Amino acid sequence: MDVENVEREHIISMRVENRSGVLARVAGLFSGRGYNIESLTVAPTLDATISLMTIVTKGDARIIEQILKQLNKLVDAISVVDLTERAHIDRDMAIIKVTTTPETRAEVFRIADIFRARVMDSTNTMYTLEVTGPGRKVEAMIYQLRSLGIEEVIRAGRIAVAREPYGADTT
Amino acid sequence: MMLNGSQIFIESLKREGVDVIFGLPGGVVLKIFDALHQQSDVKVVLTRHEQGAGHMAEGYAKATGRPGVALVTSGPGMTNIVTPLADAYMDSVPIVVFTGQVPTQLIGNDAFQEADNIGISRPCTKHNFLVRDVKDLARTIREAFHIATTGRPGPVLVDIPKDVSINTAEFDYPETVNLRGYDPDPGDDKTLITRAAEAICQAKRPIIYVGGGAVFSNAADEVKALAEIAHIPVDMTLMGLGVFPASHPLSLGMLGMHGSYTANMAIHNADLVIAVGSRFDDRVTGKTSEFCPKAKIIHIDIDPTSIRKIRDIEVHIPILGDVKAVLTELTQALKVSIDGNKKDLREPWWNQLHEWTEQHPLTYSQSDDEAIKPQYVIDRLYQLTTEKDPIVATDVGQHQMWAAQYFKLEHPRRWLTSGGLGTMGFGFPAAMGAQEAYPGRLVLCVTGDGSFQMNLQELATAVLYKLPVKIVIINNHYHGMVRQWQDLFYEGRYASSHLSGLPDYVKLAEAYGAVGLRATSPSDVDQVIQEALHTDGPVLMDFEVSRSENVYPMIPAGGANHEMLLEDPPHLGQAATSSVEAPETVTLS
Ligand SMILES: Cc1cc2nc3c(=O)[nH]c(=O)nc-3n(C[C@H](O)[C@H](O)[C@H](O)COP(=O)(O)OP(=O)(O)OC[C@H]3O[C@@H](n4cnc5c(N)ncnc54)[C@H](O)[C@@H]3O)c2cc1C
Ligand SMILES: Cc1ncc(C[n+]2csc(CCOP(=O)(O)OP(=O)(O)O)c2C)c(N)n1
């Protein structure tokens, strides 16, 4: 029972009909049943009739089981996969604006380098950095920059892909 | 064949076998009503309120198993039918509701009588569609009926903008549906069925807990076969009533908050619970952490989200599938493995069950010189009509529970009640929907003085369309169920539960051209019922009953199933009568 009750982050990858209103169905499901959405991205796929949603959510085993079942039940949901249960790669991207002083500029630059972030823009008092990587990495970089003075962070939301082709258990 | 949208609508309904729709017109659906007016294959029942139309569609669907259909206008027409949609969603009733919408080019402009029908109905429909192009209309209707009636049934809404009802397209009704994201038939798992059969063979104290899913699956015979072959007692949920004969020796009646003592003690003490198309509602489980603490649970359900939904309730053998299919296989497996000695193995269990029933049967008392007891009305109604195999619709409240307890049903689809949403106002229109489907049968509506007022305008519809529903008002001058809770949990303070200003129901019936009858003492009861049965057309019977009667057994909310109140606690009499003065009823006449 103990393991069941531990809250964990899950990344759900979902193929849906590319129709108006589908996003509202998914979002309404989460709000109506009191589930969390940490992040959600939607974009078209190679097949123009299908969109891919990547949802990052948190919950214990029971809640995640219900979320997956409820998502699957949506008529517009073509497939729902919990990537957390299998080997996968995830990416987030953030644009981070950092206020700088002559004393901190070098340090900010050094941190950007460590995280392989790119300087998108630079003024006398500001660096605008672009970082891409697993969610953990993006978070670590934001954490390190925080004390140096972050003005604004914009995150794209996580996307993820399984390392192996989806098997027959894809429903 | 080129047709306009309204003609396509009608042709599509005909392909779906729809013979009647319930509805009320308005600007954006005038073209459709106009087309309906010019044909006679699909009958239109004009209701007095869109809520009435929605519940009639539900009553039709529950009684027949075929989808009920309603057609209403945009804006207020749509918002008026939201309650039936939510009701049908909770109770898995297959209805298809068509709503009018403003012309496509006006959508989003706050046009006259515009509402976001898709947005409003999204959380209370199984699925919904906005038809933007008349070319998609036929296919959408095909899909709507398919979704409403397959898998776990439910309401579907189709929103039709005015221009779509006018524009023309080639009519071609699709034979098949192609919905790649929708798989209503999950199939069933053979190994789990074998495990279930083993568990049943070994159980010493098994119980079947059967619900609405067995009704929807038309699986009454299969439930009976399972119970009989393995000699297992049967508890029914409110929604399952009728799926197993109440008179059958294996029936323990209804379980749950107002279930019978034996039904609740049985599930609490069972070592194996076989849940068949039931969803572990909180009115059944009570305190979940103490729900059948000694039992293994087998759960048969077609909807994956129903299985393992309740946190504290562990399901040991989850079987995803249609009740009928699963039970057929399960009884097959049992026939092979059961050794015939089950009766002996379970004898102590049966002795215990009989003992409970002897200790605490469902009872009430009625003497000639006191006010009519509500239970007595139901009991007499049952005795005097059961031969006719009536359909019984109820509203929501105490009368609903007494009807569930005392009107013993032998067959499924005779019981129309609002369980999940508990919608007052459901009963009368639902009864009319069933009567429309079965003009020759006896349809009863057991209602309360409160509930009936929520859709009484449909008396006009009943009279006009000659729907001879026999209405039984259990008139206690209260929102009785609310008063009961106030008696038990609010120290008898009757906040907003007394119904002063009740109409004279007999005159009310007469005002609509129906027949009204009244009973004020126990000796009137039989006579009034008999007279109603011998009267053509709708009859309203007003039974003036005892105002302080409460429904028992009762598991207080949050209690465990063996913690039942069996009668008024001693403090009640005083609280109810002396500390609070209920205002005298004013009869408006
Ligand atoms: C005032 C009041 C008091 C109430 N008191 C009680 C009470 O004392 N006892 C009580 O039982 N209820 C009571 N209720 C009703 C209660 O709220 C629930 O509506 C009811 O218990 C649910 O019944 P059910 O479990 O049969 O589920 P339903 O709502 O009938 O759901 C059916 C289940 O079967 C599944 N299903 C559907 N089709 C199939 C199929 N073909 N094959 C397999 N599975 C299928 C569905 O997925 C669902 O899980 C009360 C309601 C009110 C308003
Ligand atoms: C639409 C709606 N509003 C409020 C309630 C809450 N409620 C449940 S039972 C009840 C009282 C019902 O009174 P009545 O119809 O007279 O039946 P009785 O309990 O007296 O038999 C109320 C108000 C409800 N179920 N439905």
Side-chain angles (χ1 to χ4, degrees), chain B residues 90-92 151-153 209 211-213 216-217 236-240 254-259 277-281 283-284 300-303 306 321-323 396-397 400-401 418-420 422 481:
Chain B
M90 278 292 229
D91 286 347
S92 307
R152 179 179 186 168
Y209 148 45
F216 313 144
S217 176
M236 280 173 273
T237 69
L238 182 72
M239 308 316 280
M254 184 171 81
L255 84 167
M257 181 175 275
H258 292 296
S278 47
R279 57 181 176 83
F280 296 84
D281 184 81
R283 292 254 151 153
V284 164
I300 303 167
D301 203 294
I302 203 163
D303 179 353
S306 281
D322 176 50
V323 166
V396 170
Q400 176 187 29
M401 294 298 110
S418 167
M481 185 56 91

Side-chain angles (χ1 to χ4, degrees), chain B residues 223-239:
Chain B
V223 172
K224 200 164 162 193
L226 172 67
E228 285 177 350
I229 195 171
H231 204 60
I232 309 176
V234 179
D235 273 6
M236 280 173 273
T237 69
L238 182 72
M239 308 316 280

Side-chain angles (χ1 to χ4, degrees), chain B residues 407-419:
Chain B
F407 205 106
K408 309 220 180 303
L409 296 165
E410 301 297 306
H411 306 285
R413 299 202 181 279
R414 307 299 195 274
W415 177 245
L416 319 177
T417 201
S418 167

Side-chain angles (χ1 to χ4, degrees), chain A residues 99-170:
Chain A
T99 5
T100 57
T101 61
E103 295 78 52
T104 60
R105 273 184 91 80
E107 175 67 359
V108 172
F109 198 80
R110 203 178 62 82
I111 293 172
D113 194 41
I114 292 171
F115 286 95
R116 300 198 198 295
R118 216 165 57 84
V119 179
M120 299 168 77
D121 193 18
S122 164
T123 69
N124 288 342
T125 57
M126 185 101 69
Y127 274 135
T128 304
L129 308 173
E130 174 197 317
V131 62
T132 304
R136 283 187 321 281
K137 170 176 158 183
V138 172
E139 257 140 45
M141 173 158 165
I142 293 171
Y143 179 78
Q144 293 227 339
L145 288 173
R146 208 164 225 168
S147 56
L148 295 167
I150 294 180
E151 160 109 359
E152 195 179 352
V153 177
I154 302 167
R155 293 178 68 168
R158 304 216 343 239
I159 53 174
V161 67
R163 299 186 62 187
E164 299 289 332
Y166 299 133
D169 56 337
T170 309

Side-chain angles (χ1 to χ4, degrees), chain B residues 257-268:
Chain B
M257 181 175 275
H258 292 296
S260 74
Y261 182 78
T262 312
N264 285 329
M265 290 302 279
I267 198 157
H268 187 76

